[in-house]
Amino acid sequence: MTTELKQQTVVVSTIDEMRKISESFRGQTLGLVPTMGYLHEGHLSLVKQSLEKCDHTVVSIFVNPRQFGPKEDLDIYPQDLSGDLEKLESLSVDVVFNPDRQTIYPEGFKTHVQVDEITRNLCGKSRPQFFKGVATVVLKLFNIVRPQYAFFGEKDWQQLAVIETMTRDLNMDVEIHRVPLMREPDGLAMSSRNSNLSPEERKQALSLSRSLKDSKEKIQQGIISSKELRQNIRNIISAEPGTQIDYISICDPVSLEEKEIIKGRTLIALAVKIGPARLIDNCIIED
Amino acid sequence: MTTELKQQTVVVSTIDEMRKISESFRGQTLGLVPTMGYLHEGHLSLVKQSLEKCDHTVVSIFVNPRQFGPKEDLDIYPQDLSGDLEKLESLSVDVVFNPDRQTIYPEGFKTHVQVDEITRNLCGKSRPQFFKGVATVVLKLFNIVRPQYAFFGEKDWQQLAVIETMTRDLNMDVEIHRVPLMREPDGLAMSSRNSNLSPEERKQALSLSRSLKDSKEKIQQGIISSKELRQNIRNIISAEPGTQIDYISICDPVSLEEKEIIKGRTLIALAVKIGPARLIDNCIIED
């Protein structure tokens, strides 16, 4: 016997298996990290937080078709299951839950969960099915895995707000943990979708984080007009030829209502289409 | 000490209290009977089934405002909490969960659950908010009470279909038990809303069950045309001056799709407005 034995990662694909394992963890704490796979350091920072906080950790990998619109990038969403498993095994994650579409959405599936108001703006405007798809699959994962804790990244700020609201409104017995956005060394927000960018597009994509950084500086210099800041962001991003701005939002971080002037804690959030990818980024201006 | 001590019924109104009690039942089976109160023998038959099947039984009493439309009878929905408690105590129900509206829908509530397709017809047509309200509150009650079993009456056939679908689609770990519709000695389907009928209206309301009974006989005599049967039902009910038919549906009991001829297991379901009440009734034609 050695105490150095690394814990084995179990990969399960059925709901019954997943439930049995969760049941066997009863009395100990269980953390869930829901992902769509193609894991990067941002995902792994969520996993590490779960491993630190909880006795056991489940990472789900499921590319959820219901959160993609008909003209979106479901078909080219990057996947690398063996690479993902390697990363998760090296962190000694207990369980990877990797169901197929039929398991999550069997024939005759007809239920969805909708969060109103905070899904109207930002990504909700151009992706009207997105948050419905996210809320529904997350609720299902919570019910299948039954974690006490679940970990989500602040990169998808609006998604986090939707999941927090749903969890509270529907009395789910899960505590949501927010994990800060992670950036590449050059500032690009980490995203599985970055892998679909050409080297040229990858360079253009830096305009997102650059415009946020510039906004922070402008606010420190005393600019408080959202209109002025938005125009400045627009200028920086539009200077890159391949970019197509979806939205620039300067809003309350909780209600996601637009603000005319920067006063109190404020979220600046962007979505920009570059080549085949729609990228998002955000930063918080503290009070 | 005496073994004849009747079990005391506990009445709780907060989510925390309810959760603590459910937690104390862990390892034993728990049944939930969701009601809007003003309990009649139909409700009590659900309660008795739960008491028989489960170690512990929770009856919830909550008049759910979100399943009433703006012009519906929320304000006159009958209530009699002390009468209800007396009935439940005499059956030795463990817990009555009686939250107020603020507890179930706190300020800022913005989430709902929707089941598609099977909510389109029947009651869904004239009460477009109804099943959204029902599915949302039932999901919340499941999450608060955490029962292994929940009991619903077949009188609200479509509601039962919606709850079964939601429970399956969202991977709720609850087994739904169907309990047959109960009738007064003269045939009227039991309903809390019957108490809002005048003696005259009460008499007119008998046309619903009478028309169903007559349909069964006609089908036994070989009539298979839904059109003919619907017209016959319409004639019987319209012969009563105070009645206003909302719908007469002859449909598949699972998909709730209308049938042109009676073939295979069939549901006949009615909704009729009489005075201040909208009454429903149904029967199954077995294959």
Side-chain angles (χ1 to χ4, degrees), chain A residues 4 8 12 24 27-28 56 61 63 87 111 166 170 173 181 186 206-207 214 219 226 243 249 272 277:
Chain A
E4 305 245 343
Q8 200 115 33
V12 302
S24 76
Q28 298 168 286
H56 302 283
I61 298 181
V63 180
K87 286 172 189 161
T111 306
M166 173 192 80
L170 297 183
D173 205 9
L181 183 155
D186 60 6
L206 289 176
S207 61
D214 194 73
I219 291 164
S226 294
T243 58
S249 176
V272 179

Side-chain angles (χ1 to χ4, degrees), chain A residues 78-145:
Chain A
Q79 284 184 276
D80 176 18
L81 187 60
S82 64
D84 291 343
L85 293 181
E86 211 170 287
K87 286 172 189 161
L88 297 173
E89 269 163 6
S90 79
L91 291 174
S92 297
V93 161
D94 301 71
V95 184
V96 175
F97 180 49
N98 179 224
D100 64 14
R101 288 188 193 172
Q102 187 59 26
T103 300
I104 296 296
Y105 301 115
E107 178 119 2
F109 187 92
K110 42 174 89 64
T111 306
H112 66 260
V113 180
Q114 174 87 45
V115 177
D116 297 326
E117 296 172 35
I118 56 171
T119 53
R120 249 185 250 139
N121 298 327
L122 287 73
C123 292
K125 212 168 225 167
S126 56
R127 305 188 74 191
Q129 75 301 318
F130 177 65
F131 291 114
K132 204 164 100 170
V134 167
T136 305
V137 83
V138 169
L139 183 77
K140 282 173 67 73
L141 288 170
F142 284 179
N143 281 339
I144 294 166
V145 178

